[in-house]
Amino acid sequence: MKSDIHQFISCDAAKDLLYFVTAGSVDDGKSTLIGRLLHDSKMIYEDHLKSVKNASLKAGSATGEIDMSFFTDGLKAEREQGITIDVAYRYFTTAKRKFIIIDCPGHEQYTRNMATGASNANLSLILIDAQKGMSVQSRRHAFICSLLGIPHMVVVINKMDKIGYSQKTYERIRGEFENFAAKLSVPDLHFIPVSALKGDNVVEKSPMMKWFKGTPLLEYLENVYVASDRNLVDLRFPVQYVIKDDDNHRYYAGRIASGVIRKGDSVKIMSSGRTTRISRISLHEKELKYAFAGQSVGFGTEDEVDISSGDVIVHPNNLPAEARCFEAIIISLSESPIDGGTQYRLKNYARTAKAVISRIHYRIDVNTLRRKNCKSLSLNEIGRATITSSKPLFHDSYARNRKTGAFILIDPVSNDTVACGMIIERGASSKKIAGISCFKEDRISGRTPTRSLVPEDERERIFKQKGCTVWLTGLLSSGKREIACELEKLLVESGHPCVLLDGGRMRRGVDMELDFSKQDVTEHVRRAAEMAKIINECGIICICSFVSPERAIREQARKIVGDDKFIEVFADASPEWCAMNDATGLYKKAQGGELGTLAGVSSKYERPSCPDITLFPEINSASKSAKKLFDYMINRKYLHFSITETILILKRRGLSPAGKS
Amino acid sequence: MKMREKYIQSNLDQLEAESIHIIREVAAEFENPVMLYSIGKDSSVMLRLAQKAFHPGKIPFPLLHVDTGMKFNEMYAFRDKLARQIGTRLIVYRNEEAISRGINPFSHGTQKCCSFLKTQALVDSIKKHGFDAAFGGARRDEERSRAKERVFSFRDENGVWDPKNQRPELWSIYNTRIDKGQSIRVFPLSNWTELDVWVYILREKIPVVPLYFAKKREMIVRDGQLIPIEGPIPLKKGETPQKVLCRFRTLGCYPCTGAVLSSAASIEHIIEEMINVRTSERATRIIDHDSDGSMETKKREGYF
């Protein structure tokens, strides 16, 4: 007896696990089918059966027939309304395999719950009522399953007993479905005619359908080959947690998303870009020579390198995409529409980042698969969008890698999971945007800046000016923008080409994924400085109006632009005066404690220690301050005029050529 | 050498890897997690998985036992021995106020007793210690409302579960964001079955409370259940204690935990019994049957 049990245990342990998803409503016979699978494989306990019988009677089943949906519909509300609302998980085992049934609701309003269930399945089971043929619902289920990349699909044409086991009808429905499936991506499609009620082709082969040459459903489920569905090629090891032992040795723990890692492998750490070697791999107490996709393991490295959670370990010759901008198919899971206005938190297999939807390209009508233009996605709607994140994400396309091509979006206020996304191969347009903040050497290698055919001094002569940057710093609403606008007017009217950059303009596009955290403000200013630099190199003046509250930030901007081209202008006004002039409402918010990052009120503003020029908006009008600046630029020879021009201009403005600097 | 490499994970290895990933995710994402430890077989498996998840380091969170004062003596002995061995802090929390008021299932009914001594105690202890995540050993195959629950299950400020409005949970990307005062219940054993648990206990040689093994015990029969004479149980008319060869398939408070007739005295025998068993594990848990959908109701209020 004891050896029998040991044999059973070792057989049982060797079985693999198949996750399959079913969707549909009670009418399709979904519950009957699941009930039969469970019942015939003896996975329904007597006490459960008894309570289901009681419940069926209570619900008014006149015949005393058992309502099989009571097994899976585990919530009171579901039993009362007679519908499946959320996913239920059921477990059964046969001699060959273990199964997890992910039973999903079929109604359109619960599409998001179906997506939850479908995301982890190896196989999808689509039910079609043979009497009705393909329905809108079966199309939708098939579409969602294909979107979520479930590799195997079995279409079960049910209630064959009701149509006299007609082969003709079966073939017609099959033909229709195949036509539809041609538009989806389903690598493996299979059809089985069954009667769940009578048990035809569920567990046993049906004597009523001799014309069907295939295997019954259970046999198919037991034998479908799923081990090759995993990606064992591209090593992607997300570091989830760093473990330290008593001797302070560091181990990097995580679950391998894809690929195989071996002891001694040379690996690259994504984010730092450093390479090292794997010195050990451990599965808890056991030391391993190699580990593969799906295993939760830990590893150590030969060198002391900086690795932290959120990093991804890869092979240096097989890198994931590293981008802040990519396209994806999005399913909206949220009551409030998904659009470009909200900053979400994006979480993928490795890390979390802030993200915005830069564009929604179109929405897909789930029933017709037609594309429609739209600006936002409502609950359960599916569309294609461009996402921009605050940090680079290491990813692959979902089609290539289900683990690394997936992400969710979380609403930062409600904390709800509001969307899920599946990344599509990147398009050319997304690369352009993603490149803006590329900073690292290796990414610009081989790409030297384009050299203009017009040298700088030639430009200076033609434009009658030196390309320089007027950097206005000061508190919010201190009058910077008004001065900047007046200065722009003076420059343009006197024939001097210039560009005005400010927070509003930058944040509309270039900085759309950034917020007002310290880190993002630094990045915001850095980008502005980089743009100013390019503009100056073209011989054009750049007027920058940014709070830029820290000395270090301004110093960085000066460094980027170049010391000789950088004019630091301080709009010196008291916080009280700024608050009085404020039209943004931010001062009120900050004073009320709602906003923790307003320079001069709830966070620090560091006054420039020696600005090139200081203006006093409280005393002088914006145009007067602008004139002072204009004068300064003439005196410092940023602007060139012929003598007659100079005199003319200054006379018109009522100023003398010998203005103070 | 590469030719001999195998990339097949058995079902138990898959479950283990999934659970460890879940446990590490909590440690990585939460400030102040805790692991509910109920002394039963599922808790024992969960604890072993936690040890594995952080090996060779220490488990980075404490264990919490919500004690009703009505557990079996063998369970307390097992717990105290374990606490000395594991090197992880074990917090024991009791609703002392309710206990001192003498709340018990005999005079107050099982629903009230559970509500005070288990549900409220659990919610209070989470609040008191400011835990933002609490692991539980519940499995989806135990009961039909548990079959519906997410791995990361959101609870509001009062520990309430809203089954009709659960967060979508896709792939193994878990949403761990909460506001202050809210918490997440985390179920690393969601996809394990009762059989998986026993096979794993055998494979990993995990110690379990001896109550799981068949032995002659002093019992009475009440409402079709075998109830142990463990503490002061008021006997009804016609009830006489008798020695019965039995074991416990699941462990809770002694007044509400029925035994099953069994001669399975080893893990192998338990597994064998499992294969042939025709009733569910929680059939002997009186509290599951005190009304229709009673587990769902308890869970909504904050029960595990």
Side-chain angles (χ1 to χ4, degrees):
Chain A
M1 183 52 79
K2 212 160 184 180
S3 69
D4 277 359
I5 200 69
H6 279 126
Q7 200 188 351
F8 165 83
I9 290 164
S10 61
C11 281
D12 190 71
K15 288 176 195 167
D16 66 351
L17 201 52
L18 180 84
Y19 286 72
F20 74 93
V21 60
T22 59
S25 53
V26 188
D27 314 336
D28 302 326
K30 179 193 69 167
S31 312
T32 318
L33 184 71
I34 294 175
R36 184 155 285 281
L37 281 170
L38 294 175
H39 189 266
D40 290 7
S41 56
K42 296 203 173 74
M43 290 307 280
I44 294 182
Y45 292 129
E46 278 163 10
D47 54 309
H48 285 170
L49 193 67
K50 199 175 135 199
S51 77
V52 165
K53 268 184 189 162
N54 286 341
S56 302
L57 280 173
K58 243 193 199 166
S61 162
T63 54
E65 220 173 271
I66 298 173
D67 184 347
M68 288 292 196
S69 65
F70 280 54
F71 279 117
T72 48
D73 289 342
L75 302 178
K76 265 188 177 171
E78 294 180 317
R79 296 194 291 280
E80 281 159 15
Q81 296 169 38
I83 53 162
T84 310
I85 293 174
D86 210 334
V87 189
Y89 299 83
R90 283 271 153 189
Y91 305 81
F92 76 100
T93 309
T94 68
K96 287 202 171 150
R97 192 170 247 175
K98 290 203 171 190
F99 296 92
I100 298 182
I101 308 178
I102 308 166
D103 180 31
C104 290
H107 290 73
E108 189 161 8
Q109 69 192 102
Y110 302 121
T111 297
R112 62 177 189 165
N113 294 338
M114 180 170 178
T116 289
S119 65
N120 282 321
N122 309 105
L123 181 143
S124 59
L125 195 156
I126 307 289
L127 265 173
I128 295 181
D129 182 339
Q131 302 169 98
K132 294 181 195 153
M134 257 183 92
S135 65
V136 169
Q137 188 161 284
S138 42
R139 281 168 205 270
R140 199 179 65 246
H141 295 163
F143 175 56
I144 293 165
C145 289
S146 87
L147 264 189
L148 282 150
I150 304 177
H152 309 276
M153 181 179 288
V154 54
V155 180
V156 172
I157 299 173
N158 191 21
K159 302 193 185 174
M160 289 300 289
D161 57 311
K162 293 276 174 63
I163 56 154
Y165 301 103
S166 157
Q167 181 179 6
K168 218 175 128 192
T169 313
Y170 166 75
E171 294 295 350
R172 183 178 52 75
I173 296 170
R174 179 186 168 141
E176 262 179 57
F177 195 95
E178 279 176 338
N179 254 340
F180 172 73
K183 289 184 236 166
L184 309 175
S185 94
V186 183
D188 175 28
L189 182 62
H190 202 82
F191 295 85
I192 302 177
V194 310
S195 164
L197 192 68
K198 306 265 157 127
D200 293 288
N201 284 339
V202 178
V203 178
E204 301 287 335
K205 215 167 152 40
S206 167
M208 306 304 289
M209 292 179 273
K210 292 247 161 59
W211 48 265
F212 178 68
K213 301 289 177 235
T215 54
L217 178 61
L218 186 62
E219 199 179 324
Y220 170 76
L221 293 175
E222 279 183 320
N223 291 299
V224 58
Y225 183 67
V226 294
S228 63
D229 297 344
R230 290 170 303 164
N231 178 330
L232 289 167
V233 178
D234 311 316
L235 174 66
R236 308 284 182 257
F237 187 142
V239 176
Q240 195 184 7
Y241 193 81
V242 182
I243 297 167
K244 280 187 205 135
D245 69 8
D246 293 338
D247 305 321
N248 231 4
H249 288 128
R250 290 158 75 88
Y251 297 88
Y252 307 99
R255 191 173 193 195
I256 303 173
S258 61
V260 181
I261 189 168
R262 296 179 183 83
K263 197 175 159 181
D265 273 1
S266 163
V267 292
K268 187 166 177 153
I269 300 140
M270 294 300 282
S271 91
S272 74
R274 304 261 317 252
T275 52
T276 181
R277 254 174 218 289
I278 300 295
S279 62
R280 57 180 293 182
I281 303 172
S282 60
L283 181 72
H284 339 305
E285 304 87 352
K286 264 181 278 176
E287 292 288 315
L288 300 177
K289 289 210 169 81
Y290 66 96
F292 54 90
Q295 288 186 300
S296 281
V297 295
F299 69 89
T301 55
E302 270 179 13
D303 323 295
E304 285 276 324
V305 282
D306 180 27
I307 302 177
S308 46
S309 64
D311 285 348
V312 180
I313 307 302
V314 300
H315 284 135
N317 54 358
N318 179 339
L319 302 179
E322 177 180 3
R324 302 175 40 163
C325 186
F326 44 82
E327 285 192 17
I329 296 288
I330 301 279
I331 305 178
S332 167
L333 311 169
S334 159
E335 301 286 346
S336 46
I338 300 292
D339 56 35
T342 313
Q343 191 178 71
Y344 300 103
R345 295 192 74 85
L346 181 153
K347 188 170 180 187
N348 75 350
Y349 71 112
R351 53 166 51 175
T352 306
K354 279 173 286 192
V356 290
I357 298 195
S358 341
R359 195 181 150 199
I360 294 177
H361 301 261
Y362 52 80
R363 169 172 86 77
I364 304 166
D365 184 314
V366 191
N367 299 323
T368 60
L369 300 191
R370 292 230 171 84
R371 294 173 181 184
K372 293 185 174 170
N373 280 334
C374 68
K375 291 232 162 69
S376 68
L377 296 173
S378 313
L379 179 63
N380 297 324
E381 285 187 340
I382 297 167
R384 180 170 178 151
T386 300
I387 317 282
T388 306
S389 64
S390 63
K391 286 191 270 193
L393 296 173
F394 316 112
H395 66 267
D396 301 279
S397 72
Y398 190 74
R400 180 165 180 92
N401 198 325
R402 257 176 111 182
K403 297 277 182 230
T404 62
F407 61 87
I408 59 171
L409 295 180
I410 300 166
D411 186 299
V413 178
S414 70
N415 293 331
D416 282 336
T417 306
V418 292
C420 67
M422 290 141 283
I423 298 173
I424 308 172
E425 292 287 357
R426 287 170 307 162
S429 62
S430 60
K431 279 183 189 156
K432 242 190 272 164
I433 302 172
I436 284 179
S437 68
C438 285
F439 207 34
K440 286 177 192 159
E441 293 294 313
D442 59 350
R443 262 180 295 171
I444 52 165
S445 62
R447 298 182 203 165
T448 48
T450 310
R451 280 184 68 111
S452 173
L453 296 176
V454 189
E456 221 165 297
D457 53 345
E458 186 68 9
R459 281 174 186 270
E460 193 172 333
R461 197 181 57 76
I462 293 168
F463 291 147
K464 298 196 182 72
Q465 66 182 21
K466 192 173 166 187
C468 65
T469 296
V470 180
W471 190 278
L472 285 135
T473 171
L475 299 178
L476 182 77
S477 302
S478 59
K480 299 185 297 297
R481 185 174 41 193
E482 290 75 9
I483 297 169
C485 287
E486 291 289 343
L487 177 64
E488 185 193 26
K489 191 164 166 245
L490 282 178
L491 286 167
V492 173
E493 282 177 358
S494 59
H496 290 283
C498 65
V499 173
L500 171 57
L501 291 182
D502 67 1
R505 288 190 175 176
M506 293 288 290
R507 289 191 185 271
R508 195 170 54 190
V510 176
D511 290 349
M512 67 187 303
E513 85 285 13
L514 301 182
D515 64 14
F516 295 88
S517 64
K518 193 179 158 195
Q519 196 186 352
D520 277 8
V521 167
T522 308
E523 173 65 10
H524 170 61
V525 171
R526 188 189 71 78
R527 287 185 196 179
E530 289 285 356
M531 284 180 72
K533 181 187 177 185
I534 295 170
I535 290 165
N536 290 169
E537 280 168 1
C538 300
I540 295 170
I541 293 166
C542 188
I543 308 167
C544 291
S545 166
F546 295 97
V547 177
S548 41
E550 287 171 36
R551 248 169 241 147
I553 290 184
R554 295 188 297 263
E555 274 320 298
Q556 191 196 17
R558 179 187 287 274
K559 223 171 164 181
I560 291 169
V561 170
D563 195 31
D564 57 328
K565 293 178 180 171
F566 193 82
I567 308 166
E568 187 177 359
V569 183
F570 178 32
D572 189 1
S574 66
E576 297 75 28
W577 186 82
C578 295
M580 233 163 58
N581 276 355
D582 179 48
T584 61
L586 292 173
Y587 275 93
K588 265 201 185 122
K589 273 195 177 169
Q591 281 153 358
E594 283 178 64
L595 188 74
T597 53
L598 186 66
V601 182
S602 46
S603 72
K604 209 174 168 206
Y605 177 83
E606 296 172 357
R607 294 167 62 90
S609 44
C610 48
D612 295 298
I613 180 164
T614 303
L615 304 171
F616 301 98
E618 281 179 63
I619 300 163
N620 298 321
S621 71
S623 64
K624 198 165 177 194
S625 297
K627 277 173 204 155
K628 191 172 169 192
L629 260 176
F630 189 73
D631 256 10
Y632 176 88
M633 290 173 80
I634 296 172
N635 288 337
R636 290 298 163 108
K637 306 217 163 28
Y638 287 108
L639 303 177
H640 312 318
F641 294 100
S642 65
I643 291 166
T644 40
E645 273 175 326
T646 314
I647 292 168
L648 206 70
I649 290 167
L650 295 179
K651 266 192 177 160
R652 210 163 54 207
R653 305 245 169 248
L655 291 165
S656 71
K660 298 166 285 176
S661 59
Chain B
M1 167 170 152
K2 272 188 200 176
M3 293 302 288
R4 270 185 279 127
E5 289 184 357
K6 280 190 186 149
Y7 309 123
I8 306 292
Q9 253 182 317
S10 74
N11 60 78
L12 217 48
D13 291 335
Q14 267 188 61
L15 291 172
E16 182 190 66
E18 179 185 68
S19 304
I20 289 175
H21 175 255
I22 292 164
I23 293 169
R24 286 174 177 164
E25 187 69 5
V26 170
E29 297 268 279
F30 288 91
E31 300 268 319
N32 190 17
V34 69
M35 181 170 273
L36 269 287
Y37 175 74
S38 72
I39 321 175
K41 61 184 191 316
D42 303 308
S43 285
S44 301
V45 166
M46 184 163 67
L47 180 58
R48 171 59 56 91
L49 289 165
Q51 285 173 325
K52 286 192 168 206
F54 304 104
H55 180 84
K58 288 192 180 72
I59 299 176
F61 40 74
L63 303 181
L64 169 67
H65 178 222
V66 176
D67 185 17
T68 59
M70 275 184 261
K71 302 293 173 190
F72 292 82
N73 288 329
E74 281 172 88
M75 290 171 77
Y76 290 121
F78 186 88
R79 178 194 73 186
D80 295 340
K81 190 176 158 202
L82 180 111
R84 287 193 297 272
Q85 288 168 353
I86 47 163
T88 304
R89 192 160 69 102
L90 173 80
I91 304 165
V92 175
Y93 187 89
R94 290 151 57 106
N95 184 349
E96 294 295 354
E97 194 213 331
I99 291 173
S100 68
R101 282 169 63 191
I103 297 228
N104 69 71
F106 314 112
S107 35
H108 299 90
T110 54
Q111 287 188 16
K112 200 177 260 179
C113 184
C114 255
S115 165
F116 279 105
L117 296 186
K118 290 172 93 170
T119 311
Q120 197 195 326
L122 176 61
V123 173
D124 287 352
S125 61
I126 287 175
K127 252 189 206 159
K128 180 187 158 193
H129 292 275
F131 294 123
D132 48 7
F135 292 102
R139 309 185 322 268
R140 285 170 175 159
D141 85 322
E142 277 179 81
E143 199 273 338
R144 62 184 173 184
S145 67
R146 284 192 169 164
K148 289 273 167 184
E149 193 158 9
R150 304 277 190 258
V151 175
F152 280 64
S153 183
F154 175 81
R155 301 301 164 104
D156 70 9
E157 286 78 357
N158 302 311
V160 171
W161 181 51
D162 182 2
K164 279 170 77 179
N165 194 20
Q166 300 194 74
R167 284 181 179 176
E169 188 168 88
L170 290 104
W171 302 288
S172 38
I173 306 174
Y174 301 108
N175 178 353
T176 56
R177 305 262 303 176
I178 49 167
D179 290 337
K180 210 170 153 53
Q182 300 168 338
S183 63
I184 303 263
R185 302 281 173 87
V186 184
F187 303 104
L189 304 183
S190 284
N191 287 323
W192 293 57
T193 65
E194 190 186 4
L195 185 61
D196 294 329
V197 166
W198 281 113
V199 173
Y200 193 72
I201 286 171
L202 181 71
R203 185 180 99 173
E204 302 289 323
K205 301 186 177 67
I206 301 171
V208 290
V209 185
L211 290 162
Y212 285 113
F213 302 115
K215 198 178 127 182
K216 284 210 160 177
R217 295 184 168 90
E218 194 92 7
M219 308 295 274
I220 53 162
V221 179
R222 177 175 291 174
D223 304 325
Q225 299 274 11
L226 271 178
I227 302 292
I229 304 293
E230 171 84 8
I233 289 190
L235 292 183
K236 292 181 188 163
K237 217 181 146 191
E239 285 178 342
T240 38
Q242 49 190 304
K243 285 258 181 188
V244 183
L245 183 63
C246 60
R247 68 177 201 89
F248 294 87
R249 217 173 137 188
T250 163
L251 294 177
C253 299
Y254 70 82
C256 292
T257 305
V260 289
L261 290 174
S262 165
S263 60
S266 69
I267 294 168
E268 285 91 340
H269 283 107
I270 289 172
I271 291 170
E272 196 188 335
E273 195 180 275
M274 270 328 345
I275 302 164
N276 299 311
V277 76
R278 298 300 305 132
T279 52
S280 80
E281 178 183 3
R282 294 193 70 94
T284 54
R285 294 294 276 266
I286 291 160
I287 54 164
D288 285 12
H289 312 290
D290 42 23
S291 74
D292 178 41
S294 57
M295 176 64 92
E296 183 183 335
T297 313
K298 285 197 183 66
K299 284 176 74 66
R300 278 167 177 275
E301 289 164 0
Y303 186 67
F304 251 92

